């Protein structure tokens, strides 16, 4: 059994804040932010919520895949910024879509979240538990951002991306006659690539956010946080930027290398490295360490900033829609972030026929 991405979608809020807007809030400048991060603007949810963005990205992914909501067996939402604690965002998305047959749950692993959600769905599909999965990354990080902290508020943005994964019943070719069919039948001859993922809870202090808000306007728009965290601002994201930077430029190329070795692949077999979009300098450093050309490292962080678990599926959707992705291409998706967590998954692009 194998599984593949059959459709993608994304939703980006229309309201934007550029670097000049940020320079009106904290002591910084457009030049500094561009040079140190690559970010030029970010989109901010105003009327949208994590759930509404997730649902719209999901609708678009289902349309792209030609899949009806009733066909979805699993909805997984990766987020650290869900509207409420209960019910989970995935159940709310199910309600919005009418995906009545789906099992739904959320996954919280910050900026590695989409890769881990993809891996989770892939494991369910390839083991035969489910046939069709909707994997979504959606974030309203603006609600977790301290707009007085120039070390973090320059970086983040809001948005959602989604992918439909479908299991193919066809297996690895067992004999020569089956191998001959590999190009005609979906799934035949395709390899199930294994991901590599890691976590280091001992370094969790590098990126924290101590309590949740209620982002819904149901409580008159008030943001709920404990008195203690309100006093010291720890209910917002707090980050040791240099520690996270050093972690990313070391661990991301390492984990990509591990994934390639595990799957007996060489870097030149990879068409694109779709990295979590955190910082242009991190992407450039990873490319350099892998010895791979920058053309293989697409970026859109200049437009959206760091949208945590939404960044990889948003980029995937852009590349799908503008025709950069071609059937049979091998892609690496690599995430890294709070936890600390990091991981890489190899994807064969859109092998399914539907
Ligand atoms: N605007 C202007 N100056 C700033 C600034 C800002 N927004 N933030 C920091 N500075 C200043 C510092 O005060 C320091 O000044 P000094 O030399 O006079 O002391 C100088 O710029 C350098 O600060 P530093 O913290 O070393 O900057 P940096 O090059 O590490 O860039 C980050 C800061 C946050 C952009 C960078 O560390 C980073 O991107 N880290 C990774 C963060 C990340 O990706 N997190 C999410 C992972 S999922």
């Amino acid at each position: 059994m194998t599984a593949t991405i059959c459709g993608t979608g994304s939703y980006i809020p229309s309201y934007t804040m550029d670097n000049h807007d940020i320079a009106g809030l904290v002591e910084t400048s457009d030049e500094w932010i561009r040079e140190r991060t690559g970010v030029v603007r970010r989109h901010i949810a105003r009327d949208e919520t994590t759930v509404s963005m997730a649902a719209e990205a999901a609708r678009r992914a289902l349309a792209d895949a030609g899949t009806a909501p009733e066909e979805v067996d699993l909805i997984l939402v990766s987020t650290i910024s869900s509207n409420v604690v209960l019910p989970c965002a995935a159940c709310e998305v199910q309600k919005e879509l009418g995906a009545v047959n789906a099992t739904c749950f959320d996954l919280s692993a910050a900026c590695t979240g989409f890769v881990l959600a993809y891996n989770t769905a892939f494991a369910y599909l390839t083991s035969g538990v489910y046939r069709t999965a909707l994997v979504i990354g959606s974030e309203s990080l603006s609600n977790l951002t301290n707009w007085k902290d120039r070390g973090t508020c320059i970086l983040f943005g809001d948005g959602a991306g989604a992918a439909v994964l479908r299991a193919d019943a066809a297996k690895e070719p067992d004999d020569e006659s089956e191998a001959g069919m590999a190009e005609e039948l979906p799934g035949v001859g395709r390899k199930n690539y294994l991901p590599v993922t890691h976590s280091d809870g001992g370094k969790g202090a590098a990126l924290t956010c101590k309590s949740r808000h209620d982002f819904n306007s149901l409580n008159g728009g008030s943001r709920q946080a404990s008195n203690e965290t309100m006093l010291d601002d720890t209910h917002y994201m707090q980050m040791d930027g240099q520690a996270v930077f050093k972690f990313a430029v070391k661990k991301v190329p390492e984990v990509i290398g591990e994934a390639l070795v595990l799957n007996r692949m060489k870097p030149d077999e990879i068409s694109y490295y779709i990295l979590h979009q955190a910082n242009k300098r991190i992407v450039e450093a990873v490319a350099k360490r892998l010895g791979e050309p920058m053309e293989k490292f697409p970026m859109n962080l200049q437009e959206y900033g760091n949208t945590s678990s939404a960044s990889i599926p948003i980029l995937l959707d852009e590349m799908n829609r503008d025709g950069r992705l071609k059937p049979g291409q091998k892609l690496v998706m690599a995430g890294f972030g709070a936890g600390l967590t990091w991981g890489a998954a190899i994807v064969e692009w859109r092998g399914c026929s539907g």
Side-chain angles (χ1 to χ4, degrees), residues 8-10 114 135-137 160-163 309-318:
T8 62
S10 59
F114 186 79
V135 183
I136 306 166
S309 59
S311 81
I312 289 176
I314 291 172
L315 183 53
L316 209 53
D317 185 45
E318 280 186 2

Side-chain angles (χ1 to χ4, degrees), residues 26-29 32-33 36-37 111 150-152 154-156 207 239-245 248 276 278-279 281-282 306 336-338:
V26 291
E27 203 181 324
T28 190
S29 66
W32 196 95
I33 301 173
R36 307 305 291 168
T37 73
C111 306
R150 70 177 183 173
T152 51
I154 57 169
L155 296 172
F156 299 105
L207 185 42
M239 184 178 66
D240 178 343
Q242 285 189 14
V244 175
F245 190 94
H276 165 51
N279 183 316
R281 289 190 296 139
I282 292 176
N306 176 346
F336 54 94

Side-chain angles (χ1 to χ4, degrees), residues 20-352:
H20 299 286
D21 296 324
I22 303 285
L25 302 175
V26 291
E27 203 181 324
T28 190
S29 66
D30 177 46
E31 296 71 30
W32 196 95
I33 301 173
R34 279 180 196 246
E35 193 188 311
R36 307 305 291 168
T37 73
V39 179
V40 175
R41 67 181 69 77
R42 65 287 291 146
H43 293 242
I44 304 292
R46 295 221 292 195
D47 301 324
E48 302 90 345
T49 66
T50 295
V51 165
S52 73
M53 294 190 291
E56 192 49 40
R59 264 184 214 107
R60 294 173 186 181
L62 288 172
D64 187 41
T67 300
E70 297 79 12
E71 291 176 63
V72 177
D73 303 310
L74 172 69
I75 299 177
L76 250 174
V77 176
S78 168
T79 187
I80 54 165
S81 51
S82 57
N83 301 17
V84 292
V85 177
L86 300 172
C88 69
C91 280
E92 294 283 278
V93 169
Q94 175 193 33
K95 186 174 68 183
E96 298 264 327
L97 299 178
V100 289
N101 298 311
T103 294
C104 309
F105 60 96
D106 291 359
L107 187 148
S108 170
C111 306
T112 317
F114 186 79
V115 172
L116 294 177
Y118 170 86
N119 292 345
T120 305
F122 192 85
Y124 272 121
L125 298 183
T126 54
S127 60
V129 176
Y130 301 123
R131 251 194 80 65
T132 304
L134 192 46
V135 183
I136 306 166
S138 184
E139 304 285 6
S140 313
L141 297 180
S142 56
N143 290 313
L144 301 175
T145 299
N146 181 353
W147 293 99
K148 294 181 192 150
D149 173 17
R150 70 177 183 173
T152 51
C153 76
I154 57 169
L155 296 172
F156 299 105
D158 301 337
V164 176
L165 270 72
R166 201 176 295 148
D168 275 325
K171 295 197 175 58
E172 300 278 316
D174 294 331
D175 54 35
E176 267 182 37
S177 62
E178 261 196 359
M181 299 190 299
E183 284 183 8
E184 289 143 44
L185 290 179
V188 172
R190 195 163 342 104
K191 209 168 134 184
N192 278 342
Y193 298 100
L194 293 174
V196 178
T197 55
H198 298 289
S199 302
D200 183 358
K203 298 206 170 68
L207 185 42
T208 60
C209 182
K210 289 203 172 159
S211 72
R212 288 201 190 200
H213 303 291
D214 179 349
F215 303 135
N216 264 349
S217 51
L218 295 174
N219 293 335
S222 66
R223 293 173 176 186
Q224 309 291 314
S226 72
N227 289 340
E228 197 187 321
T229 58
M230 285 290 262
L231 284 177
D232 63 8
D233 276 345
T234 54
H235 57 293
Y236 292 124
M237 285 184 285
Q238 301 206 314
M239 184 178 66
D240 178 343
Q242 285 189 14
V244 175
F245 190 94
K246 283 182 195 152
F247 145 73
V249 299
K250 182 168 187 303
K251 294 299 185 184
V252 177
E254 270 178 25
V255 78
I256 291 173
E258 287 175 73
L260 291 174
V261 168
L262 181 66
N263 291 287
R264 297 199 174 91
M265 293 180 76
K266 301 224 163 57
D268 62 13
E269 293 175 64
I270 302 298
S271 299
Y272 292 107
Y273 296 87
I274 301 181
L275 303 193
H276 165 51
Q277 301 287 293
N279 183 316
K280 182 173 156 228
R281 289 190 296 139
I282 292 176
V283 178
E284 288 169 349
V286 172
K288 195 169 167 198
R289 286 199 187 192
L290 287 172
E292 285 282 86
M294 275 311 294
E295 301 83 73
K296 285 189 175 185
F297 292 79
M299 274 192 267
N300 62 9
L301 59 90
Q302 61 280 5
E303 180 63 32
Y304 307 121
N306 176 346
T307 57
S308 192
S309 59
S311 81
I312 289 176
I314 291 172
L315 183 53
L316 209 53
D317 185 45
E318 280 186 2
M319 296 176 71
N320 177 23
R321 284 170 197 273
D322 69 20
R324 266 179 286 177
L325 299 181
K326 308 270 187 292
Q329 281 176 339
K330 315 289 186 299
L331 318 173
V332 169
M333 302 193 297
F336 54 94
L340 297 172
T341 55
W342 64 104
I346 296 168
V347 176
E348 181 172 333
W349 181 249
R350 203 195 265 276
C352 60

